């Protein structure tokens, strides 16, 4: 979605009633963010709405991107927010071979997550970074927002929406897993709000 560098469009202040609605929607979508919501979106702060190309709206505090939304799709967190609160989101992991494709903006394929280095919710294969419950206990369904981490790396590299459920991924082991989204080094990552 953001393969090329993008320029921010019109920047407007969000009314407090709309801001409360956004806050509620965020807590419905990401309930594990509730202990941190005051740090992320303080009640007295002013949130900006920034128009981006391809009908994308970015919600940001002054100079700090928070969430973005494509038309009526779900609100997706910016990767800087994911890096601050990684445990507050559903996570999956890709193997080392998929990293270069993720960072070039390609769709994430199922074999990258079902191979030896990949992880899906409900499985812990042992090894470094596989502490109990890190990947979640329950399978995720189609359309859920996930944070994609890379094998051997500390921070998440992609945020997107699942194109098929994780249970189906284990059975079929092929096809597209996560499409589009926001990845390290893309236009949204490089966007300057100054």
């Amino acid at each position: 979605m953001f393969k090329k560098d993008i320029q921010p469009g019109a920047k407007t202040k969000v009314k407090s009633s709309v801001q409360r609605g956004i806050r509620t929607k965020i807590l419905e979508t990401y309930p594990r963010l509730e202990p941190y919501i005051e740090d992320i979106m303080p009640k007295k702060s002013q949130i900006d709405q920034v128009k981006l190309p391809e009908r994308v709206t970015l919600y940001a505090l002054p100079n700090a991107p928070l969430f973005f939304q494509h038309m009526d799709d779900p609100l997706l967190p910016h990767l800087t927010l994911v890096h601050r609160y990684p445990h507050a989101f559903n996570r999956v992991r890709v193997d080392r071979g998929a990293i270069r494709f993720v960072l070039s903006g390609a769709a994430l394929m199922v074999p990258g997550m079902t191979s030896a280095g990949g992880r899906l919710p409900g499985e812990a294969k042992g090894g470094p970074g596989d502490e109990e419950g890190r990947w979640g206990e329950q399978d995720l369904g189609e359309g859920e927002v996930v944070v994609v981490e890379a094998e051997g790396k500390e921070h998440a590299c992609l945020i997107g929406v699942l194109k098929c459920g994780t249970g189906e991924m284990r059975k079929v082991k092929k096809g597209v897993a996560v499409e589009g989204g926001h990845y390290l080094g893309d236009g949204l990552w490089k966007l300057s709000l100054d």
Side-chain angles (χ1 to χ4, degrees):
M1 185 182 302
F2 303 107
K3 288 186 180 185
K4 296 180 178 151
D5 288 347
I6 55 177
Q7 296 299 318
K11 183 189 270 191
T12 58
K13 303 287 184 194
V14 175
K15 293 193 309 189
S16 61
S17 59
V18 175
Q19 198 165 316
R20 281 192 303 272
I22 292 169
R23 186 184 178 110
T24 304
K25 195 183 296 186
I26 289 168
L27 290 176
E28 285 173 7
T29 310
Y30 310 105
R32 289 178 278 178
L33 275 179
E34 189 159 4
Y36 315 106
I37 195 69
E38 254 332 289
D39 296 335
I40 297 168
M41 294 176 66
K43 284 187 178 177
K44 298 292 181 188
S45 66
Q46 180 64 52
I47 292 182
D48 294 328
Q49 177 181 5
V50 182
K51 296 290 185 184
L52 301 176
E54 299 181 35
R55 297 184 180 177
V56 175
T57 303
L58 175 68
Y59 296 102
L61 288 172
N63 303 327
L66 297 174
F67 292 88
F68 68 96
Q69 183 176 28
H70 179 260
M71 295 174 71
D72 291 330
D73 292 348
L75 281 165
L76 297 175
H78 192 276
L79 275 171
T80 56
L81 184 67
V82 172
H83 291 167
R84 285 184 10 218
Y85 307 102
H87 51 279
F89 302 96
N90 295 323
R91 297 184 283 180
V92 295
R93 186 171 83 184
V94 295
D95 62 9
R96 292 180 189 275
I99 296 171
R100 67 185 174 123
F101 297 108
V102 168
L103 296 180
S104 67
L108 179 59
M109 305 302 282
V110 173
M113 297 191 316
T114 57
S115 65
R119 297 289 181 276
L120 294 171
E123 63 184 23
K125 299 179 181 175
D130 274 355
E131 61 271 3
E132 189 66 33
R134 177 174 181 152
W135 310 109
E137 300 300 321
Q138 298 183 0
D139 282 340
L140 301 174
E142 180 180 346
E144 289 197 47
V145 177
V146 291
V147 170
V148 179
E149 296 179 352
E151 179 184 11
K153 304 297 179 195
E154 182 181 346
H155 295 293
C157 59
L158 171 71
I159 179 111
V161 179
L162 286 176
K163 291 296 174 190
C164 65
T166 55
E168 185 182 337
M169 286 181 203
R170 278 192 206 91
K171 291 177 193 160
V172 178
K173 297 194 186 247
K174 61 182 176 181
V176 177
V178 179
E179 195 171 63
H182 163 44
Y183 58 92
L184 285 175
D186 68 1
L188 186 58
W189 178 259
K190 296 174 186 174
L191 180 68
S192 174
L193 295 173
D194 296 334

